[in-house]
Amino acid sequence: MHRARGLVALQDDEALQLALSARERAADRKVTERLRAFDRAERRRSGAEQAREARRARADARWTVRAQRGRQRLLNPNRRLASTYRRYVILSVFPIAVIIGGVAWMSASVHHGVVGVHGTWLGYLIEPMASVLLIVSMIAQFTAIENREDCPRWFLWLDVGIAAASLFLNIVPWGVRFGWQSAELPGHVFPPLLVVAGVAVFHMINRLFGGILVNLHDELTETRLNEQTADVVVLYERAKREIAAGRLAVGESGKPSREGIRRLFNIGKGRAQLTGDAFDVVHNTLGPAAESSVPAQG
């Protein structure tokens, strides 16, 4: 009886109503663990995103430094000249190697075809004599172009004749001595063509870089002007020379267009715009006669 009375007195106690059972405690434990797992995943995603942002920032910083160095090379005439000359030397090596390899190959082929495999060693000199004449002809043409002289048309026919003779020496003697075999024909046709192509490419490289190096040479004199101003002055003087030579057209105002300057010197729009602005300043300050004056020839 006393026990029953005690239970009745305690059954309405708030503590008994708020107390959690073992099953409820286990359920709350699972909920808490899941929330902590979600929190860890979110922190992991946030950390990974911060790491990616940091990597992108470092990569952008590296590319920015490279871009700034490239811009400095373009604006600094001395560095631009050094870079251009380095490319010229590297590119010139490849056609020279092709020419030397082709002449060596053809020398052996012509020797075997003309005097036989065990013939006199003088047979090795037959092919180089023709190839050397072709190389001399191409260098002479380059020298003429470098000095702005027109090459006679017979130079072209001479080159064609020497190339045809080289092709003849590589094909006919071998075919007569060893038989006409189609499988071996490419080995006698391609080397002469590669030598001709190597000489032509070497000629093209010299013609392209020769003009660039000559024009950049004017920019090497040290001055108190900043690099951009010195660059504009050089481009302005070069444009005046081209106008005097008739290679740069001028409008009714006596000034060349920005687009004409850009295309003639193959420069960016910014440098062409500044050069055009220089013409505007000279025109507005000194008058049209100052622009049309021919620079002194030294």
Side-chain angles (χ1 to χ4, degrees):
M1 179 63 72
H2 292 290
R3 182 179 181 184
R5 291 179 184 275
L7 290 175
V8 170
L10 294 175
Q11 65 183 359
D12 294 328
D13 193 336
E14 186 177 358
L16 291 177
Q17 296 178 3
L18 296 178
L20 298 178
S21 64
R23 182 173 57 83
E24 289 176 323
R25 287 195 301 272
D28 287 346
R29 175 75 177 181
K30 292 180 180 179
V31 171
T32 302
E33 290 177 351
R34 180 170 297 182
L35 291 175
R36 286 201 297 264
F38 288 154
D39 183 62
R40 284 193 297 269
E42 184 62 30
R43 291 200 306 270
R44 185 167 52 249
R45 285 192 295 268
S46 178
E49 183 63 28
Q50 291 178 358
R52 285 193 294 269
E53 289 292 338
R55 284 197 299 269
R56 282 195 291 264
R58 289 193 298 270
D60 291 342
R62 288 194 298 268
W63 282 109
T64 300
V65 171
R66 294 178 183 177
Q68 291 174 347
R69 291 175 181 172
R71 185 174 182 273
Q72 291 175 357
R73 282 194 297 269
L74 292 176
L75 294 179
N76 189 319
N78 294 320
R79 297 184 65 181
R80 189 161 68 249
L81 176 63
S83 176
T84 302
Y85 185 73
R86 183 166 55 249
R87 294 175 188 173
Y88 165 70
V89 172
I90 294 174
L91 291 177
S92 299
V93 170
F94 293 101
I96 292 175
V98 171
I99 293 171
I100 294 175
V103 171
W105 177 282
M106 292 187 297
S107 178
S109 177
V110 173
H111 172 270
H112 297 344
V114 174
V115 299
V117 177
H118 302 290
T120 175
W121 63 269
L122 293 175
Y124 288 105
L125 301 179
I126 298 174
E127 167 55 32
M129 288 189 292
S131 298
V132 167
L133 289 178
L134 179 62
I135 295 172
V136 170
S137 173
M138 297 298 292
I139 292 177
Q141 294 178 59
F142 164 70
T143 304
I145 293 173
E146 186 179 36
N147 292 276
R148 299 189 175 184
E149 296 290 340
D150 294 332
C151 293
R153 186 173 294 274
W154 58 265
F155 261 110
L156 175 61
W157 297 112
L158 176 64
D159 294 342
V160 173
I162 295 175
S166 179
L167 193 63
F168 176 86
L169 285 173
N170 275 269
I171 296 177
V172 176
W174 182 278
V176 171
R177 181 176 294 273
F178 299 103
W180 301 93
Q181 301 179 16
S182 58
E184 297 181 356
L185 185 61
H188 301 284
V189 174
F190 289 152
L193 297 180
L194 288 175
V195 170
V196 173
V199 174
V201 170
F202 182 74
H203 172 71
M204 178 190 68
I205 291 174
N206 282 306
R207 182 174 183 180
L208 173 63
F209 282 88
I212 295 175
L213 294 173
V214 168
N215 290 329
L216 283 176
H217 179 73
D218 296 337
E219 306 175 13
L220 293 179
T221 303
E222 293 186 1
T223 175
R224 286 177 292 183
L225 300 175
N226 61 43
E227 294 177 354
Q228 187 180 57
T229 305
D231 182 63
V232 172
V233 172
V234 171
L235 287 173
Y236 173 80
E237 288 298 324
R238 289 172 59 189
K240 286 177 60 178
R241 297 175 193 171
E242 298 300 320
I243 293 173
R247 290 186 290 269
L248 179 60
V250 296
E252 296 180 357
S253 62
K255 298 178 293 184
S257 66
R258 271 72 167 172
E259 182 62 21
I261 295 173
R262 186 191 68 79
R263 286 187 293 184
L264 177 64
F265 298 124
N266 193 25
I267 58 178
K269 291 183 178 179
R271 297 175 67 196
Q273 182 68 38
L274 290 174
T275 307
D277 293 344
F279 274 94
D280 291 341
V281 171
V282 174
H283 180 274
N284 296 332
T285 305
L286 303 178
E291 296 171 356
S292 58
S293 61
V294 179
Q297 300 295 325

